[in-house]
Amino acid sequence: MDLWYTEKHTDHSGITLRIKKTLFSGKSPFQQLDIVETEDFGRMMLLDGLVMVTERDEFVYHDMITHPALFTHPAPKNVLVIGGGDGGSIREIVKHPGVEQAVLCEIDGLVIEKSIALLPTMACAIDGSDPRVTLHVDDGIAYIREHQNAFDVILIDSTDPIGPAVGLFEEEFYRLVNGALKEDGIMVAQSESPFYHAEIQRAMYRNLRAVFPIVEMYQAFIPTYPSGLWSFAFASKRYHPVDDFDRQRAASRPFATRYYNEDLHLGAFMLPTFARENISA
Ligand code: SAM
């Protein structure tokens, strides 16, 4: 029997992937979680029917949500990920030898549990093997309130602004993040598709600009995300991602990356005009 998964990006278009088999399907108190084997993209996690990660293209997203901030901040030691229960962001963070503490605050313990069990290439650093890594199963908004002036870098690796993630796109949350960052801290958040989500981006970047002195967007190519053109918000209390970037430090990084590199770091911040217009003040 032919089995196809379709994610609709609008009422009239989307992406469809042929499925080999279902590895897990279950409901947590927060969302429906499915992990399936696809023909073309390896294993794939879905939350409430939406693509979260696939084994084949997750390297793009996890390189790009982590390394631009970690190579812009001169000495990131304490890093927090809100969301990110698949573990891919933590996997990239702990590649940085200077990082002393990597905290994951994921609201849904089932996502962590099933990622460790079924997505080992992503969850390899949240399985207890790295003493620098701490896991919290909690709402990131509550966690941030309790941990002010604590982090050099905070990454918001969340679902879309629906359900438990709605508050992660609001000005009040960004004020809490600003307070949770040290005086020269950096926040990065996934900021949806410039092609499909102009209104979400307009509101999100307006909220960020009300809180942070430096706010920039950068882009990446992620084939299984809506339109393939994805974006990240870079919000910083002191360092600019291009002007203060130490290219030599990124070029001499002691680990391999399949998407990020010292030239792409700069190129990712050069936006198409329509994306620039989405976030123009
Ligand atoms: N790469 C994916 C993307 O760009 O959509 C994100 C993947 S990760 C699995 C998203 C995670 O955010 C989910 O596991 C979800 O449970 C978590 N999440 C959503 N709202 C949250 C909140 N308020 N606090 C902590 N985690 C949250």
Side-chain angles (χ1 to χ4, degrees):
M1 179 183 73
D2 250 2
L3 189 61
W4 291 79
Y5 157 80
T6 296
E7 175 182 324
K8 290 175 70 176
H9 299 153
T10 72
D11 288 342
H12 314 294
S13 61
I15 185 172
T16 192
L17 301 169
R18 176 174 268 162
I19 302 299
K20 281 185 193 170
K21 63 181 173 185
T22 296
L23 300 171
F24 174 79
S25 183
K27 212 162 175 52
S28 79
F30 300 96
Q31 53 214 339
Q32 172 70 27
L33 168 62
D34 296 282
I35 297 180
V36 298
E37 189 80 57
T38 70
E39 287 288 355
D40 277 358
F41 281 81
R43 293 186 174 186
M44 173 169 71
M45 178 198 292
L46 307 171
L47 288 177
D48 285 340
L50 300 176
V51 175
M52 290 293 119
V53 287
T54 80
E55 285 181 323
R56 184 172 175 191
D57 69 357
E58 59 88 5
F59 73 95
V60 179
Y61 178 90
H62 292 121
D63 269 18
M64 293 305 281
I65 196 170
T66 55
H67 300 311
L70 293 171
F71 281 117
T72 299
H73 192 290
K77 292 185 174 59
N78 298 293
V79 184
L80 168 65
V81 175
I82 291 179
D86 53 71
S89 295
I90 294 288
R91 178 194 67 203
E92 294 307 310
I93 291 163
V94 298
K95 287 179 180 174
H96 291 253
V99 168
E100 296 170 358
Q101 181 197 35
V103 178
L104 180 80
C105 181
E106 162 60 61
I107 201 166
D108 192 340
L110 186 65
V111 172
I112 295 174
E113 178 197 336
K114 295 304 175 189
S115 295
I116 292 171
L118 296 170
L119 299 172
T121 58
M122 287 177 234
C124 51
I126 61 171
D127 60 359
S129 57
D130 191 318
R132 294 174 292 170
V133 176
T134 310
L135 305 186
H136 291 277
V137 179
D138 195 1
D139 185 333
I141 301 169
Y143 182 87
I144 277 276
R145 276 190 217 286
E146 303 303 316
H147 295 82
Q148 294 290 287
N149 190 34
F151 296 100
D152 302 304
V153 172
I154 296 176
L155 307 178
I156 316 300
D157 181 3
S158 75
T159 37
D160 304 327
I162 45 181
V166 168
L168 303 180
F169 292 75
E170 299 299 332
E171 181 179 332
E172 184 202 354
F173 173 68
Y174 294 141
R175 291 196 183 286
L176 289 171
V177 171
N178 188 300
L181 286 168
K182 295 180 182 168
E183 58 181 4
D184 62 348
I186 295 171
M187 183 208 89
V188 166
Q190 72 90 356
S191 63
E192 304 290 317
S193 165
F195 188 79
Y196 277 127
H197 305 130
E199 288 318 307
I200 292 174
Q201 294 195 319
R202 200 175 315 286
M204 178 182 182
Y205 281 77
R206 186 175 54 242
N207 292 339
L208 284 166
R209 288 205 176 95
V211 177
F212 288 91
I214 297 169
V215 177
E216 298 292 345
M217 180 197 281
Y218 62 101
Q219 62 182 326
F221 156 68
I222 305 176
T224 54
Y225 282 8
S227 84
L229 178 63
W230 210 249
S231 74
F232 300 87
F234 188 105
S236 180
K237 296 170 79 168
R238 179 181 300 173
Y239 307 115
H240 189 278
V242 175
D243 303 344
D244 297 314
F245 176 54
D246 178 349
R247 190 178 178 285
Q248 188 45 44
R249 181 169 150 245
S252 51
R253 62 191 178 281
F255 53 84
T257 47
R258 288 181 57 211
Y259 192 87
Y260 178 86
N261 62 56
E262 61 280 9
D263 296 321
L264 184 97
H265 177 113
L266 297 168
F269 287 89
M270 310 304 164
L271 298 175
T273 304
F274 78 91
R276 205 191 275 171
E277 287 170 352
N278 286 357
I279 61 169
S280 55

